[in-house]
Amino acid sequence: MVSRVIPVDSFDIVIFGATGDLARRKILPALFHRYAVGQMPDEARILGVARREINQQAFKTLVRDNLIEFTQLAVKEPKLLKSFLEKLTYFRVDVHGEDGWSDVSGALRSNVKRVFCFSVSPSFFGLIASKLHATGLANPDCRILIEKPFGHNLIAAKSLNNELLNLFSEHQIYRIDHYLGKETVQNLMALRFSNALWEPLWNSTHIDHVQITVAETIGVSGRGDYYDRSGAMRDMVQNHLMQLLCLIAMEPPARFEPNSVRDEKVKVIQSLEPVLPTDIVRGQYRDKTGNETYRNHVNNPDSNTESFVAMKVNIGNWRWASTPFYLRTGKKLKSQSSEVAIIFRDPPHMIFPISEERKSNALIIRLQPNEGIKLHNMIKEPGPGGFRLTDVSLDMTFANTLGTGGNSQDAYERLIMDVIRGDQTLFMRGDEVEAAWAWVDPIIAEWEQTDVLPAFYQNGSSGPDQATSLLHRDGREWRDIC
Ligand code: NDP
Ligand code: BG6
């Protein structure tokens, strides 16, 4: 299926931190892809801002080399790459100083959408926001795109929200959680709210439990300093896993419109029950040689930061009482595998012999790799000679069903275009971020107060044994990470 491309209005996007890792790996490749499919108008322009002293040619060479490294399209389409690079201009601005701002201002056009992308250290977010006003770069229709982390705890998130809201309206602030831009994550909403089939089953009467797994094979990948101060709870659970949980658990919004959707997500977060210390497992990876350990990777031999979290979460509302959500995420696990598994209750009365092959019905929403949705059912094993049941799945793998060839657009492509369109549905509202911190903070505080040490797990495993026990003691089992 060829995806439909609806061009967006013309825009100027200013990327603060244009020479940084995120801009090079995600933001600029996303813009290049949207340019290549014709969604980005010809007159749209990209203004890269960073601190280093380089000339225009050196900046373009840096971007070109990165696009070649991170996108196959840049290798295949050199002409397109060349014309894309013409859209780029570099501005040297140290955001602490006064120099260079007027050059950026002079280059911005007044009659197009204006987006400021904050791809810099979070400690600069407030400063850049105020400079945008002080230097006259901000206009009433401009948008700011804020990278994560949005605060380090509730107090910091509130203070940042206040700082930004003193200068911009909520409708101008786009707080990014790139998981919301992933194709399958959006499909979760499509599946739930465009089919009549699921809603009658979507509750604790029919769903036994939910598993959300985001497993990574990578370690801290050069972000050790940031990661060691955050850990998996702040880096992944507070945002990405929380968003997945919200999309599964929320009530149907009245409309597919930013505030309707976000109102329902906030209600879910506010319904989360406090997590008991016995319902949570923290882990840290190490290996047999002692070299590939988390502590080595973050250069902190005494670190007790978690690179893995597994937890049982209860939602205190009518729909979900007695259906636990089990969340698990970690680095250096055995496979790169992210999925949501909705495990249904068994039939109330079984007329067939109980066998090992019999499995509960499960709806698996696979985020990555091999994006798609599968519904596991039991059917009769074909052929004569007895009556045996076998598990067969109805497969909606996007690559097969929709002919995407496994090439879904990157989350950033969708999200940046949504900023230009002015659609905040897939961005977090301020109160949503604060509610998530309000739930996460006490868990972290408890760890800090009790000096709970993380359980070690082997690099390349499924995580610590204690995570397995978390489900075993409830008579359940994690799905294999594969
Ligand atoms: P990097 O350290 O790779 O890049 C930082 C950028 O900020 C560089 O372009 C740097 O310019 C610029 N910069 C630093 N100091 C100044 C200054 N005083 N004035 C102007 N520009 C300055 O960071 P990342 O790209 O990794 O991260 C950027 C943001 O994205 C952070 O908020 C991070 O938390 C978030 N993020 C990053 C992810 C990732 O995978 N990298 C994932 C999710 C979020 P120069 O190089 O010229 O000094
Ligand atoms: C980022 C985290 O937000 O998400 C990283 O900071 C993590 O630690 C990454 O690796 C995972 O994103 P994805 O899209 O690769 O699953």
Side-chain angles (χ1 to χ4, degrees):
M1 179 185 277
V2 180
S3 63
R4 269 168 291 172
V5 172
I6 301 165
V8 294
D9 291 345
S10 190
F11 62 88
D12 287 345
I13 184 166
V14 181
I15 306 173
F16 288 95
T19 54
D21 179 67
L22 187 73
R24 290 187 284 122
R25 273 190 315 109
K26 292 287 185 185
I27 299 170
L28 288 159
L31 286 165
F32 176 53
H33 276 131
R34 290 297 95 197
Y35 173 67
V37 296
Q39 191 166 29
M40 194 167 142
D42 278 345
E43 334 77 71
R45 292 183 324 188
I46 302 164
L47 289 71
V49 173
R51 187 180 40 179
R52 70 185 68 173
E53 202 135 354
I54 46 173
N55 62 26
Q56 297 299 335
Q57 195 46 48
F59 178 63
K60 288 185 185 188
T61 305
L62 178 80
V63 176
R64 188 201 62 202
D65 291 351
N66 280 288
L67 289 176
I68 288 173
E69 187 180 347
F70 297 118
T71 79
Q72 289 175 3
L73 189 67
V75 181
K76 280 198 240 151
E77 300 282 355
K79 271 198 191 145
L80 214 53
L81 175 61
K82 190 164 176 281
S83 56
F84 176 76
L85 292 174
E86 283 163 16
K87 303 189 149 302
L88 266 60
T89 317
Y90 180 72
F91 296 86
R92 186 193 174 264
V93 179
D94 182 332
V95 294
H96 295 290
E98 307 306 322
D99 297 343
W101 294 94
S102 57
D103 298 336
V104 181
S105 174
L108 285 174
R109 296 169 292 168
S110 55
N111 53 348
V112 297
K113 297 275 178 301
R114 205 174 266 197
V115 177
F116 299 102
C117 177
F118 293 19
S119 183
V120 288
S121 160
S123 58
F124 298 166
F125 291 170
L127 174 67
I128 296 178
S130 61
K131 290 269 185 166
L132 290 180
H133 275 274
T135 55
L137 266 72
N139 66 14
D141 187 41
C142 73
R143 292 111 211 237
I144 56 173
L145 179 57
I146 309 282
E147 260 308 328
K148 65 166 281 213
F150 197 91
H152 188 70
N153 53 28
L154 177 59
I155 295 176
K158 274 190 169 166
S159 142
L160 180 56
N161 268 335
N162 289 341
E163 221 172 340
L164 297 179
L165 286 165
N166 274 335
L167 300 159
F168 296 93
S169 305
E170 180 63 43
H171 74 265
Q172 295 179 284
I173 306 172
Y174 290 72
R175 299 174 193 80
I176 206 161
D177 182 316
H178 77 280
Y179 265 57
L180 290 175
K182 287 185 191 278
E183 200 60 32
T184 335
V185 177
Q186 293 165 55
N187 239 311
L188 248 171
M189 282 190 279
L191 184 83
R192 280 196 63 195
F193 305 129
S194 66
N195 297 292
L197 181 65
W198 298 108
E199 181 53 23
L201 301 177
W202 212 260
N203 53 55
S204 60
T205 309
H206 299 286
I207 296 178
D208 178 73
H209 71 280
V210 175
Q211 297 185 15
I212 303 178
T213 299
V214 178
E216 298 185 276
T217 49
I218 56 164
V220 295
S221 334
R223 296 167 69 216
D225 192 37
Y226 149 77
Y227 194 90
D228 203 36
R229 280 180 281 113
S230 301
M233 193 71 188
R234 288 189 171 99
D235 185 50
M236 296 296 287
V237 178
Q238 186 270 348
N239 37 80
H240 305 326
L241 276 83
M242 179 76 81
Q243 288 296 321
L244 294 176
L245 180 146
C246 284
L247 296 181
I248 301 159
M250 73 187 190
E251 295 301 312
R255 287 172 294 283
F256 190 57
E257 173 264 283
N259 280 334
S260 280
V261 172
R262 297 186 298 179
D263 285 347
E264 296 307 334
K265 287 198 287 163
V266 173
K267 285 185 215 160
V268 174
I269 303 175
Q270 289 168 341
S271 311
L272 296 178
E273 291 181 354
V275 181
L276 300 174
T278 47
D279 283 349
I280 186 156
V281 175
R282 304 170 75 216
Q284 191 187 84
Y285 67 82
R286 62 178 179 188
D287 78 340
K288 291 197 178 84
T289 65
N291 296 325
E292 290 296 305
T293 65
Y294 173 83
R295 289 176 178 182
N296 279 353
H297 288 167
V298 298
N299 270 328
N300 180 359
D302 302 318
S303 174
N304 285 325
T305 301
E306 76 286 351
S307 57
F308 177 97
V309 174
M311 62 203 298
K312 177 180 176 180
V313 177
N314 293 307
I315 305 177
N317 64 22
W318 276 37
R319 188 186 282 268
W320 296 113
S322 82
T323 293
F325 282 56
Y326 296 97
L327 274 46
R328 167 176 66 160
T329 182
K331 299 217 178 268
K332 286 281 181 193
L333 294 175
K334 67 185 229 195
S335 297
Q336 174 82 8
S337 164
S338 301
E339 63 170 39
V340 173
I342 316 280
I343 315 290
F344 289 89
R345 294 198 193 277
D346 291 334
H349 172 66
M350 205 27 150
I351 60 170
F352 302 110
I354 305 287
S355 71
E356 289 217 337
E357 283 73 45
R358 212 197 61 74
K359 295 207 175 80
S360 304
N361 293 141
L363 179 70
I364 311 300
I365 298 133
R366 179 94 181 162
L367 268 58
Q368 57 198 27
N370 310 323
E371 298 173 303
I373 300 174
K374 279 187 184 174
L375 176 63
H376 287 266
N377 283 284
M378 297 308 292
I379 60 161
K380 179 188 166 296
E381 197 177 289
F387 198 100
R388 287 178 301 276
L389 298 178
T390 188
D391 173 34
V392 168
S393 63
L394 297 175
D395 190 347
M396 291 171 267
T397 306
F398 299 169
N400 305 335
T401 319
L402 302 177
T404 60
N407 290 327
S408 284
Q409 63 179 26
D410 185 80
Y412 275 87
E413 295 181 45
R414 163 79 200 225
L415 294 175
I416 296 173
M417 291 302 111
D418 277 359
V419 180
I420 319 269
R421 277 189 283 256
D423 184 347
Q424 290 187 308
T425 312
L426 300 177
F427 294 85
M428 291 180 297
R429 207 169 55 194
D431 56 342
E432 199 180 340
V433 179
E434 290 180 14
W437 280 120
W439 181 74
V440 159
D441 274 0
I443 299 172
I444 297 174
E446 163 92 18
W447 292 340
E448 286 170 356
Q449 276 158 23
T450 53
D451 280 336
V452 177
L453 299 181
F456 291 110
Y457 62 97
Q458 284 302 320
N459 194 331
S461 70
S462 299
D465 295 342
Q466 290 86 332
T468 312
S469 314
L470 188 69
L471 265 75
H472 275 180
R473 66 170 203 205
D474 292 348
R476 298 180 173 117
E477 243 180 287
W478 288 109
R479 282 173 48 83
D480 197 16
I481 296 179
C482 59

